[in-house]
Amino acid sequence: MNILFVLSQMELTGAETYAVSLIQRLQDMGHKIIMVSDTLNSELNIPYYSINLNNRKSPLNRIKHVLSLIRIIRQENITIIHAHSRASSWPAYFASRIANIPLVTTAHCIYPVHLSSKLMPCFGDKIIAISEAVMDHLIKDFGIKNNNISLIPNGIAVNRFSPQIVLNELREELGIQPDARVISWVGRFSGGRGKLIEEMVERAFPEVLMNIPDLNILIVGGGERTALMEARVRAVNQQFNREIIRLTGLRYDTPQIYGLSDMVIGAGRVALEAMSCARPVIAVGERKYIGLLTPLNIEEGITTNFGDCCQMQAINWKAMSRTMIELLKDKDRIKQLGTWGREVVVSRFNLDMVAGKVVGVYEGMFHAKIRRRAEVRKGGECL
């Protein structure tokens, strides 16, 4: 199949990493992928078209977006469209209807609900929800029928995100002593994610640093709030009189960063990637603090996409600090939880399995389209 992936990325987010990993697996399966997005941060050997889909305030711009997608659909002989955001699903919906091809949208998060979006959801023929909380949100807030939604989680390339042997060169590059303990946080600095890590730097990390003197904290990411992050990190480093928290910027060697870490803090795909690398994870998202992932709370983590997709709840920063301190002092538990987490991801989030389910959605839509055409043709013959 020739599949058009439509995103609306202004920066690197989980939606792009989801799409990129899925694209690579679909290519291995023999499918041709074409991508449309505002920007593309990852290196991919596929046709890529840049369209500013976020510039949608003007009705004229929206019409231009639809016409641009129709041109690409015809030029690339597209079979199916796969959208990955609200900004991309709207023009993709109208382009798919005009071109008479199926549209599937992956819902990655909890979306704002407006009267216009309820009256015209524009998700397409099928929706893939990455968690149960997202699925419930689509049914409750947008009135989507249950049988139009497929619950398919994030897929993780478990061979790439695997237990790592970290070379000393990486520690030297980052200025970390050979035996020093490390916590890593990975994510963007914009929106709720940025506000979350800013508060964490001020309200959770100092207590941990006072109890674990050799600790190093890596903050991997970037975005529009970088200057604010730099100021907050500088203040904590001055408090402890050394570069104890490091801003690394965007990095594409995250498996090695996870492997370097004694624990990882994150939500969404970051939590799964770190678990796949056999690292214990403290799950905290934009809406909720789940805590240290264990067999007792893993289902809550999965259901809420590790704190990103649920009702907003206040974070107990002191509880988070205590959890970090206790775990850093227990090497056996770090190893035990790492082994368990790897098993969870391999058995439930393996990219090969997830890609197979996504292709199943594609094939179901494609065959449904063929059946509809046959029924129309048969009806015409009867007349």
Side-chain angles (χ1 to χ4, degrees):
M1 285 185 279
N2 294 344
I3 306 160
L4 178 62
F5 271 49
V6 188
L7 293 86
S8 55
Q9 299 297 109
M10 298 299 292
E11 59 185 339
L12 183 62
T13 68
E16 181 175 320
T17 54
Y18 167 99
V20 167
S21 62
L22 184 56
I23 285 169
Q24 291 169 337
R25 188 66 192 95
L26 291 173
Q27 286 181 305
D28 293 341
M29 298 167 74
H31 300 287
K32 179 182 178 182
I33 313 298
I34 297 89
M35 179 181 278
V36 166
S37 183
D38 296 57
T39 62
L40 179 62
N41 297 278
S42 308
E43 291 186 7
L44 282 172
N45 186 25
I46 61 172
Y48 166 66
Y49 297 86
S50 178
I51 301 177
N52 190 6
L53 296 177
N54 274 287
N55 184 10
R56 60 188 192 275
K57 291 183 179 180
S58 163
L60 181 60
N61 284 339
R62 290 188 175 229
I63 293 170
K64 288 179 178 178
H65 297 160
V66 173
L67 294 176
S68 295
L69 290 179
I70 292 171
R71 176 178 54 82
I72 295 167
I73 289 167
R74 291 171 177 167
Q75 182 176 319
E76 299 286 355
N77 193 26
I78 298 299
T79 312
I80 283 174
I81 306 176
H82 191 161
H84 294 270
S85 67
R86 294 295 288 142
S88 65
S89 67
W90 194 93
Y93 175 83
F94 288 99
S96 71
R97 293 304 175 260
I98 294 169
N100 193 27
I101 60 174
L103 165 67
V104 59
T105 296
T106 292
H108 294 271
C109 60
I110 303 294
Y111 298 112
V113 181
H114 310 291
L115 178 60
S116 59
S117 62
K118 293 184 74 171
L119 293 174
M120 193 176 291
C122 296
F123 285 111
D125 304 275
K126 289 287 183 181
I127 308 175
I128 294 172
I130 56 104
S131 74
E132 289 182 15
V134 172
M135 184 174 180
D136 292 343
H137 159 64
L138 294 169
I139 294 169
K140 177 183 176 182
D141 295 326
F142 290 98
I144 307 298
K145 294 180 180 179
N146 190 293
N147 59 2
N148 283 338
I149 305 173
S150 295
L151 179 60
I152 304 176
N154 279 299
I156 303 300
V158 296
N159 290 332
R160 178 178 179 232
F161 292 96
S162 59
Q164 301 288 313
I165 298 174
V166 179
L167 300 176
N168 288 332
E169 285 82 350
L170 181 57
R171 282 183 174 266
E172 291 174 5
E173 175 195 339
L174 296 170
I176 299 172
Q177 294 298 314
D179 297 325
R181 284 170 283 189
V182 179
I183 292 176
S184 293
W185 180 92
V186 180
R188 65 184 188 277
F189 294 167
S190 60
R193 222 27 135 244
K195 293 176 183 177
L196 174 69
I197 185 58
E198 287 170 20
E199 280 200 76
M200 202 180 302
V201 167
E202 290 186 340
R203 302 180 64 180
F205 288 159
E207 183 177 346
V208 182
L209 293 166
M210 284 187 285
N211 284 270
I212 311 292
D214 69 334
L215 180 63
N216 290 262
I217 298 173
L218 301 178
I219 298 178
V220 181
E224 61 188 25
R225 300 172 70 91
T226 298
L228 289 171
M229 275 300 308
E230 289 173 345
R232 282 168 168 75
V233 166
R234 191 181 307 115
V236 175
N237 286 341
Q238 288 174 351
Q239 177 185 345
F240 288 89
N241 201 31
R242 72 180 180 92
E243 190 182 9
I244 204 164
I245 304 176
R246 293 171 174 82
L247 295 174
T248 72
L250 288 174
R251 295 185 68 104
Y252 296 94
D253 59 347
T254 46
Q256 288 72 38
I257 294 292
Y258 296 142
L260 178 72
S261 308
D262 293 277
M263 76 172 73
V264 176
I265 303 171
R269 291 185 61 85
V270 169
L272 292 171
E273 290 171 355
M275 289 170 68
S276 188
C277 290
R279 297 292 86 195
V281 171
I282 291 181
V284 56
E286 296 181 20
R287 292 172 174 264
K288 186 177 182 179
Y289 171 62
I290 304 294
L292 178 64
L293 293 176
T294 71
L296 296 177
N297 64 2
I298 185 62
E299 296 306 324
E300 180 186 12
I302 292 170
T303 297
T304 63
N305 201 24
F306 303 98
D308 268 349
C309 303
C310 52
Q311 293 295 319
M312 188 72 74
Q313 295 185 19
I315 294 174
N316 187 332
W317 297 106
K318 288 187 176 181
M320 182 188 292
S321 298
R322 287 195 300 271
T323 299
M324 286 189 263
I325 293 166
E326 290 170 3
L327 185 61
L328 287 168
K329 292 180 177 180
D330 193 339
K331 291 184 178 180
D332 290 340
R333 194 162 192 230
I334 287 174
K335 184 176 181 180
Q336 178 189 37
L337 288 175
T339 301
W340 163 79
R342 169 75 178 172
E343 292 171 354
V344 169
V345 175
V346 170
S347 63
R348 299 177 63 175
F349 298 91
N350 191 314
L351 180 59
D352 290 345
M353 175 186 68
V354 168
K357 290 182 178 180
V358 172
V359 170
V361 173
Y362 294 162
E363 291 175 343
M365 292 192 300
F366 183 72
H367 292 313
K369 176 186 172 183
I370 293 174
R371 286 195 300 271
R372 286 195 299 270
R373 283 182 175 177
E375 289 168 1
V376 169
R377 192 180 302 114
K378 185 177 180 180
E381 291 173 355
C382 291
L383 292 174

